[in-house]
Amino acid sequence: MDMNTLVLILAATVAAAVPLIFAALGELVVEKSGVLNLGVEGMMVVGAIFAFMAAAETGQLWLAILVGAVAGAGMAAIFGFITLSLMANQVATGLALTIFGIGLSAFIGQGYTSVALDGLKEISIPVLSSLPVVGKLLFSYNILVYLAIIAFVGIWWFLYKSRSGLILRAVGESPSSAHALGYRVIRIRYLAVLFGGAMAGIGGAYLSIAYTPLWAEGMTAGRGWIALALVVFATWRPGRVLIGALLFGGVTIAQFHVQGLGVEIPSQFLSMLPYLATIIVLVLISRDAGVIRLNAPASLGQPWHNELH
Amino acid sequence: MSLIAAPPRLELRGITKRYPSVVANQDIDLVVQPSEIHALLGENGAGKSTLMKIVYGVVKPDTGSVFWNGQAVKIRSPAQARALGIGMVFQHFSLFDTLTVAQNIALALDQKQDMQALSARIVEVSNRYGLPLEPDRLVHLLSVGERQRVEIVRCLLQEPQLLIMDEPTSVLTPQAVRKLFETLRRLAAEGCSILYISHKLDEIRELCHTATVLRGGKVTGMANPQLESSKSLAELMIGKELPAYRRASTRALGEPSLVINDLSRATTDPFGTSLKHVQLSVHAGEIVGIAGVSGNGQQELLYALSGEQPGRREEVLIKGQEAGQLDAAERRSLGLRFVPEERLGRGAVPEMPLELNALLTGYANGLAPKGWIQYAKIREFSKACIERFNVKAGGPQAAAKSLSGGNVQKYIVGRELMLNPQVLIIAQPTWGVDVGAASFIRQTLLDLSQAGVAVLVISEELDELFEICDQIAVIEGGQLSPAKPVAQTSVEEIGLLMGGTRTSHVTEQRVA
């Protein structure tokens, strides 16, 4: 394998990891506020179809990204209303949201299955992108890849360095205590849920307008579920979410190359590998119960309402 | 009233708050003067906590008015209360375990803080009031006393004019209580008013200038606690006379019925405590108490004794038989009965009716022969338990969670006693139970030991242990001190052991 192939594989790894980075970081913020939204897959796929429609109809890709985010946030708003305002069970509602999203996207996407789209183009940063090796590896991706990195840094800073992030974590740890101090638990959780939906929507939009610029029913292919698993196995820490997403992307690309080499392993088994490898590695690095207790939001998945008023 | 007199710091007039099933506060008047330490006295459920939450803006009253320094105010949120100068230290701490001391304090301050400057202020204020704190430590690593310091310092940083303390001493050692009182007196001398909620009468007599007594949501009296006796205050609080304990002066001690033999357990829980070489024996006819501040290994010891976490054979002997490896059901068959600290969830299933909760531990005693539930029998059993132990409940069909904490406790204790214990392990027997029910439960334990049962009581209430126990040991940091006869020790000595050498050492260093 020469240097060029390696660089191509690494660049493809990053490209495959991006939808997971968006969806999982969004869900991380949601879960840090104490809400468990299992509807990530549904929000992603709805984001994907709405973004694709916007791109196909207007040709404006930046508008498509925005539409994807709004569609994801719209799905999240349904979830928020049912679980935060009506206090329904979060697990059941999240599962229903995924099923609803898959069905809804298939229904409204019927007319778009054979539409071709010019996908999001790479931005080659002048000078830097023409550097050998690092130029291709670091400085010639599409805008969403850079946005994913910015989102990672931003969310890390928000959670651990900002006062708002401290309040969010406090709400996830003990909503009753946060309420007693005068914080608006439900409003904070709504904002987190909407943000998570928008991030999942952008992840979906990336799939349908950048990664493979076409619409196919169920094209998220379980990435929403992997994003959920990433958050848990990364013990609610952004850095580990990023590593897990890159690992998933890497194994995805590696197994394509193995298939291309004509190795005698059933292709179904190889397609399974990214999911298996990601989960096994993350389980192994997150065995420490103490780390989990310190990072897991203690009120995760429990409805909270203000009983006193 | 003369014109020059300063207006009261806080005045409540005609405060009423109704909940669907109960009137928590009815037409309550309360006046707190500047620099006054004012006690709010009442049993559980008398409405003290609701009233304080109204003052702190957590709960809105239905009717009534609040005056702050003579001005009518409507307190709509804790942030507004803090802006007025009202601080509150909660009974169940409102701290966040996984955050640092400084972060916890920053969350309660309304403006954005520079964390370094805040840490410096925390160190300065905490040392000034003799409440040393390290701003960068994670809260879950702190002892209960240190956590309370965090809550108090959090209030002090806002320079309050009124500090509300909700049962602040229930988790402290006697020495820590003394330190707290010094701090409170000093605050009062500096002009801060203090509203002190408690049902510990000795403390109120020692500390407070005035007392308002609540019963059933109404003000039933005012008193100067320094002129009253504990007995007269208790009678104001419960509205009737307090029964005295009956205990035999001499009792014949039998064989050791419960022996704990070099019990060590490493904990996997980062918030837990490992047990180290615990050694204890309880004879038939004897009550042995284990004192200690919560979180020092009580939970782990209870799991090891109840059989929820079995271990090595020889660690636990029940009536001479090795039982360390047995599970909870097998230990029950040897005559062990167990009343856990958590009543709902561990002692009883909250959603199930009382009669089915009787079945939980009574299935082996004829209530479910050959696996068939005898509904008539369990109902009869449950009715008898309700009557004998004076449980206030709708009947055997009432769900366990519909009862108040004290009544659930009476039912669980009753259930275990009706199953003829030979060894009884009971944790926090009267925690959250009102004065009348508490004295009933204590008397029941005394009667039981008289009848030849070996009783092990784990409690944080030192007064209670001294009232009923024959011997007392102290658990601290997972280690158990040797048991001492009650007559040969004192609250002072036990309190020192509870504080442990570790903590007192650190405190002295920091103060010096």
Side-chain angles (χ1 to χ4, degrees), chain B residues 66-80:
Chain B
V66 179
F67 295 85
W68 178 250
N69 289 325
Q71 305 279 314
V73 287
K74 287 223 180 314
I75 303 173
R76 291 192 184 83
S77 69
Q80 194 194 343

Side-chain angles (χ1 to χ4, degrees), chain B residues 100-122:
Chain B
T100 66
V101 169
Q103 286 173 335
N104 266 283
I105 290 176
L107 278 168
L109 303 175
D110 295 312
Q111 300 86 33
K112 209 178 156 97
Q113 300 291 327
D114 172 53
M115 289 309 275
Q116 294 223 302
L118 179 64
S119 295
R121 264 183 78 206
I122 291 170

